[in-house]
Amino acid sequence: MTDTKNHISLNAYAKEKKVSPELLKRIIATNGIVIPKGSHGLRQTYLISPEIRETLDRLILENNFAHFRTKKKYYNSHHNIALLQSFLIDDGRTYRVMTDGQRWVFYTETGFTDFESFSNAKPLYDIHKPTVKSSSYVNFSIPKNEKNAYPYVDAIYKTFGIENAQIILTEEYINIRVKMNSWKVANDSEHVQRLLELNNFTINGEIQLFNQELHVICFDKRVVLILEKEYHQQLSELAKKLNITDSRLAQKIIEEYIDKH
């Protein structure tokens, strides 16, 4: 008999992660994960073990980070505003930019208010910085109930700008992606310590400080593969069947080979 007290049903896991069962099943199928059946009360159902859960947690988070490909989710070029950016209102109050469907709004004491309703609102900082050349990123995921969640956002925008860092929201997290590079910071920078604290929420890297220079370090390493036409064609055909990219399939093949040897 298998001890299933730490297992969770597929539907219950989907509800917990606030994803549709259809999306969850697609992620499971795409990544070749086998979910065994077990007894849940008096019925047989698919049960997710703690080990499988750890894998699915990462894959669901990666799926959320895919939204970064759509810039309009975190930046409005018409108003030159960014998601969760902080603004000062005439009477001294500060509000943050949010989205409500297609609307860009402020989150106020009475709920969402159109951004244009506060014509004299002034941004507390500039959200633009020179773009750095890098194709690698470090991802962070901050729980919304973290006490410094929104000050972290301010530190990121002020240091990296939207050219090098993007922010999106899920039901439970503030997901952040920062380009791998280095940035010089002032000795009295109020945000340095806060940025270093982001390492508590890292997914695939960290931020380090050396001689007043912030370094964003990615733990993922890029490998360039050159395949003969025959092998590339076979790889592409298999990737298409599995509904994943050629790169993702090549990564899985290498990882599985190394794990076995």
Side-chain angles (χ1 to χ4, degrees), residues 34-251:
V34 177
I35 308 294
K37 273 192 172 183
S39 297
H40 192 69
L42 298 177
R43 61 191 178 89
Q44 289 281 312
T45 187
Y46 291 103
L47 292 178
I48 296 173
S49 67
E51 293 76 19
I52 295 176
R53 181 192 182 102
E54 183 177 342
T55 300
L56 289 175
D57 285 348
R58 176 178 58 80
L59 291 171
I60 288 174
L61 185 60
E62 288 177 357
N63 184 72
N64 287 331
F65 279 112
H67 293 304
F68 283 124
R69 299 186 186 116
T70 307
K71 191 173 183 179
K72 65 181 181 181
K73 287 184 177 290
Y74 55 86
Y75 176 64
N76 183 309
S77 58
H78 177 69
H79 294 300
N80 189 31
I81 56 177
L83 184 64
L84 298 183
Q85 183 183 359
S86 190
F87 277 74
L88 179 66
I89 311 303
D90 283 344
D91 59 9
R93 290 174 295 173
T94 57
Y95 293 143
R96 290 188 182 274
V97 173
M98 298 285 288
T99 57
D100 180 23
Q102 298 297 317
R103 300 165 55 212
W104 285 77
V105 297
F106 279 129
Y107 184 71
T108 70
E109 298 89 344
T110 57
F112 291 143
T113 303
D114 285 337
F115 178 80
E116 296 91 335
S117 298
F118 293 95
S119 58
N120 294 324
K122 298 187 181 303
L124 290 180
Y125 44 79
D126 183 13
I127 58 173
H128 296 287
K129 296 292 182 183
T131 302
V132 300
K133 293 181 179 180
S134 177
S135 59
S136 297
Y137 293 84
V138 173
N139 295 323
F140 303 91
S141 190
I142 306 172
K144 286 183 178 179
N145 60 5
E146 163 65 30
K147 66 177 182 178
N148 284 323
Y150 297 108
Y152 287 136
V153 170
D154 296 331
I156 289 163
Y157 278 144
K158 289 188 70 173
T159 304
F160 307 116
I162 64 162
E163 291 77 12
N164 310 298
Q166 299 89 41
I167 295 173
I168 61 170
L169 295 177
T170 64
E171 291 291 333
E172 300 176 6
Y173 294 93
I174 301 173
N175 287 339
I176 302 163
R177 187 174 75 161
V178 181
K179 279 187 178 180
M180 184 179 71
N181 213 285
S182 59
W183 283 264
K184 291 189 179 298
V185 290
N187 293 331
D188 59 349
S189 175
E190 60 181 303
H191 297 300
V192 169
Q193 187 57 42
R194 191 154 283 154
L195 290 170
L196 294 176
E197 291 172 5
L198 272 179
N199 292 326
N200 294 324
F201 312 102
T202 185
I203 303 299
N204 65 330
E206 65 182 2
I207 296 178
Q208 297 181 357
L209 180 66
F210 299 112
N211 299 322
Q212 297 311 126
E213 193 170 81
L214 282 173
H215 294 261
V216 179
I217 301 172
C218 184
F219 293 161
D220 297 335
K221 300 300 181 183
R222 185 176 298 274
V223 177
V224 178
L225 297 176
I226 300 176
L227 297 177
E228 294 180 9
K229 183 178 180 181
E230 177 185 353
Y231 289 120
H232 182 264
Q233 184 175 351
Q234 293 180 39
L235 181 74
S236 296
E237 290 174 354
L238 181 56
K240 188 175 182 179
K241 289 180 182 178
L242 297 175
N243 194 28
I244 58 178
T245 64
D246 293 3
S247 297
R248 177 58 178 156
L249 177 57
Q251 179 184 346

Side-chain angles (χ1 to χ4, degrees), residues 254-261:
I254 293 172
E255 289 174 348
E256 290 172 3
Y257 179 86
I258 292 175
D259 288 342
K260 291 178 181 178
H261 296 79

